[in-house]
Amino acid sequence: MSSTTEVTGARGGLFGAGGRFKGGTDPIMEKFNESISFDKRMWDQDIRGSIAYAKAIAKVGIITAEESNILVDGLGKVREEWANGTFEIKAGDEDIHTANERRLTELVGPVGGKLHTGRSRNDQVATDTRLWTVEAERNILKDIGTFLTVGAEFAAAHIDTLTSGYTHLQPAQPIRFSHWLMSHLAAVVRDAQRLQEMIPRANMCPLGSGALAGNAFGVDREFLAKELGFDGVTSNSLDATCDRDFVVEFLMWSALLLTHISQLAEDLIITNLQRGVTIDDAYATGSSLMPQKKNPDALELLRGKAGIALGRAFGLTATLKGLPRAYNKDLQEDKIPLFEAVDTVKDCLAIATGVIATLKLNPQNLMKSLCPEMLATDLADYLVRKGVPFRETHHISGACVRLAEESNVSIDTLTLEQLQEIDARFEEDVMKVWDYEASVERKSSIGGTSKASVQKQIDDCLAFAKTL
């Protein structure tokens, strides 16, 4: 016995029965197929694209100037409804494009049906997504500028504070706390530079590419690009409708930025554990059981976001890898990871900025992380300055470290006689080696940890931030 599934769903005014389709859509399919629930975020970009397109088809005589004015005025009213929150999404509004066109037609009548002449949702959604992405990227650059400014100013305020630098999570050499902070800001500067380089590739106009083969009415694509603020037009209509490289680039970029923020968070979590810094209460939470706990949850969440970001980048890339030319519905799956990535990046930058701005340093505890053994390289350098080859001085300094360990004393308490028993070239001035400030100031090359060098890093970072 055979059975059939009754299809009761509506296709909406733009794709209703009587054209290609006999009946409605399975309600489950309607839910599965729609994107209005998330791509409505692009309502402004969609209206801007439609306004430009109305002008473009009037320019080539497809509609009259009067009809163009009617469409532009009507689209302005649709925009007002979205802006003031009165736009009503109705059944059959499959996506932001159909929703806006449906409402436009309700407002202006049959002339609304002329707007889509020569245009496809394929080039329409590509245009909307590029406009939205570029706008988001430019806003993120401003957020990065704020983060860099706050971080660099914090570094400047604490430039005299010394702490331990680590390799392999082992005390290595003394550095300025501000030098450590600027090391994290240097990575974010690179992130900003990469984002700046990405924007021109995203900011190319695909409108006028049609479904795949181009526009049959000779619309002026360069006019469209200028109207919408694009830097130019895409070179191939097939590619233009399915190109999502700019989305993948942003997702991969976001994963790298959040990786750098994750590293900053991890360092702060460790330093907070060592009581070298104190996280403000605004960015910490308590325990449901243990009254004494103050957990650095903001930092832990910042640390955790990078993994999810990487998953978004890999996920969309995997979706794209098997697609034939040109547009396929799979491409609808780019929006949610894109929107989530932008939201996450902006939230993380805001939280990281707040953490740094409210961070309290505990200089005495940071100094406690220093130990004389960290100056063993300075001891080797002492002999280098007397003409001894570094490979030799490295072994000599290592022997001094071993003597201190075997004697169960700190290396800086070894007497001149003990040092001279290891190497006679040690002189009385060797005792000046055991000075953390002097050690730090000797690292005066570009990028080093001396005060002047760190100040230069701060100044350069602040100057760069002003350009974002």
Side-chain angles (χ1 to χ4, degrees):
M1 181 176 180
S2 63
S3 62
T4 59
T5 301
E6 182 181 2
V7 179
T8 59
R11 289 190 180 276
L14 300 182
F15 303 101
R20 169 63 177 83
F21 300 96
K22 290 183 178 180
T25 312
D26 184 330
I28 297 176
M29 175 58 184
E30 281 200 354
K31 182 179 179 182
F32 190 64
N33 188 55
E34 67 84 19
S35 59
I36 186 66
S37 59
F38 50 87
D39 67 17
K40 62 185 178 182
R41 290 182 67 159
M42 302 191 300
W43 63 265
D44 185 62
Q45 291 75 22
D46 191 70
I47 291 170
R48 285 165 54 198
S50 291
I51 289 173
Y53 195 73
K55 294 177 181 179
I57 57 176
K59 191 169 179 282
V60 294
I62 299 302
I63 60 175
T64 67
E66 181 183 0
E67 289 173 324
S68 176
N69 291 335
I70 291 171
L71 291 173
V72 171
D73 290 345
L75 287 163
K77 293 176 182 177
V78 176
R79 171 184 274 162
E80 289 176 6
E81 291 184 3
W82 279 109
N84 60 32
T86 59
F87 187 95
E88 182 182 353
I89 296 173
K90 295 183 178 180
D93 287 347
E94 179 182 319
D95 49 43
I96 187 59
H97 325 299
T98 55
N100 281 340
E101 187 175 341
R102 184 265 308 160
R103 181 57 179 149
L104 172 67
T105 304
E106 289 175 351
L107 291 172
V108 304
V111 70
K114 294 187 176 185
L115 175 61
H116 208 59
T117 304
R119 184 174 66 164
S120 166
R121 284 185 296 172
N122 297 355
D123 62 342
Q124 190 175 359
V125 69
T127 302
D128 293 358
T129 308
R130 283 177 182 269
L131 287 170
W132 191 92
T133 301
V134 169
E135 183 177 333
E137 289 172 337
R138 287 171 173 161
N139 286 332
I140 286 170
L141 282 174
K142 294 177 183 178
D143 294 341
I144 292 176
T146 301
F147 171 74
L148 292 174
T149 298
V150 168
E153 288 178 348
F154 189 89
H158 300 280
I159 197 168
D160 292 323
T161 300
L162 303 187
T163 189
S164 174
Y166 296 86
T167 63
H168 309 278
L169 269 183
Q170 299 298 308
Q173 290 182 304
I175 61 172
R176 296 187 183 279
F177 179 87
S178 53
H179 187 220
W180 162 84
L181 180 54
M182 292 309 300
S183 76
H184 286 287
L185 299 190
V188 177
V189 166
R190 293 195 302 274
D191 291 323
Q193 292 168 337
R194 271 185 285 267
L195 189 55
Q196 288 176 316
E197 293 164 1
M198 287 162 49
I199 288 175
R201 286 192 292 275
N203 200 36
M204 302 298 286
C205 182
L207 193 56
S209 295
L212 74 162
N215 187 283
F217 298 95
V219 296
D220 186 343
R221 294 191 61 211
E222 291 179 338
F223 168 81
L224 286 168
K226 185 176 180 180
E227 282 287 301
L228 292 169
F230 285 109
D231 294 331
V233 298
T234 54
S235 62
N236 180 284
S237 60
L238 272 164
D239 177 65
T241 58
C242 64
D243 172 25
R244 295 299 184 272
D245 291 1
F246 64 98
V247 178
V248 174
E249 275 197 283
F250 181 81
L251 296 181
M252 291 183 172
W253 175 88
S254 71
L256 186 55
L257 169 75
L258 295 180
T259 295
H260 292 147
I261 291 178
S262 174
Q263 292 170 341
L264 169 64
E266 171 67 1
D267 270 3
L268 284 173
I269 289 169
I270 293 171
T271 310
N272 179 68
L273 173 66
Q274 297 170 331
R275 300 295 186 263
V277 297
T278 300
I279 308 300
D280 192 83
D281 287 355
Y283 299 98
T285 65
S287 165
S288 61
L289 176 65
M290 298 166 282
Q292 83 282 5
K293 293 294 294 298
K294 180 181 176 180
N295 301 323
D297 281 13
L299 295 172
E300 292 171 1
L301 288 169
L302 288 175
R303 187 176 58 186
K305 296 295 183 181
I308 303 299
L310 193 59
R312 292 190 195 99
F314 283 164
L316 182 59
T317 304
T319 296
L320 297 177
K321 78 174 186 64
L323 295 187
R325 276 321 196 223
Y327 182 84
N328 295 270
K329 193 73 171 197
D330 315 50
L331 294 174
Q332 182 169 290
E333 298 303 312
D334 66 346
K335 305 297 180 305
I336 291 177
L338 173 62
F339 296 157
E340 287 181 347
V342 168
D343 291 344
T344 300
V345 164
K346 290 183 71 64
D347 287 348
C348 287
L349 285 169
I351 293 296
T353 300
V355 168
I356 296 298
T358 60
L359 193 67
K360 180 183 177 182
L361 255 60
N362 302 315
Q364 290 183 339
N365 288 342
L366 289 170
M367 283 291 293
K368 286 180 182 177
S369 68
L370 298 172
C371 60
E373 284 69 28
M374 299 171 68
L375 299 172
T377 302
D378 295 77
L379 185 63
D381 291 345
Y382 168 86
L383 290 176
V384 167
R385 291 186 174 89
K386 293 183 177 296
V388 184
F390 176 74
R391 283 303 171 200
E392 185 179 348
T393 68
H394 185 280
H395 290 292
I396 294 169
S397 180
C400 295
V401 171
R402 185 175 67 252
L403 174 61
E405 288 179 347
E406 291 174 350
S407 304
N408 198 28
V409 297
S410 175
I411 190 171
D412 63 327
T413 64
L414 294 177
T415 65
L416 176 60
E417 291 73 18
Q418 287 175 304
L419 293 174
Q420 289 177 331
E421 286 179 7
I422 295 174
D423 194 284
R425 289 168 289 194
F426 284 120
E427 299 178 12
E428 288 186 10
D429 61 347
V430 70
M431 294 307 175
K432 296 179 181 179
V433 164
W434 315 118
D435 183 325
Y436 298 119
E437 182 70 28
S439 173
V440 166
E441 282 303 287
R442 278 191 288 267
K443 312 302 191 300
S444 58
S445 60
I446 295 174
T449 197
S450 72
K451 187 171 183 176
S453 179
V454 173
Q455 186 62 56
K456 177 68 163 56
Q457 297 166 46
I458 292 169
D459 293 342
D460 289 347
C461 183
L462 288 170
F464 176 74
K466 289 180 180 178
T467 68
L468 299 177

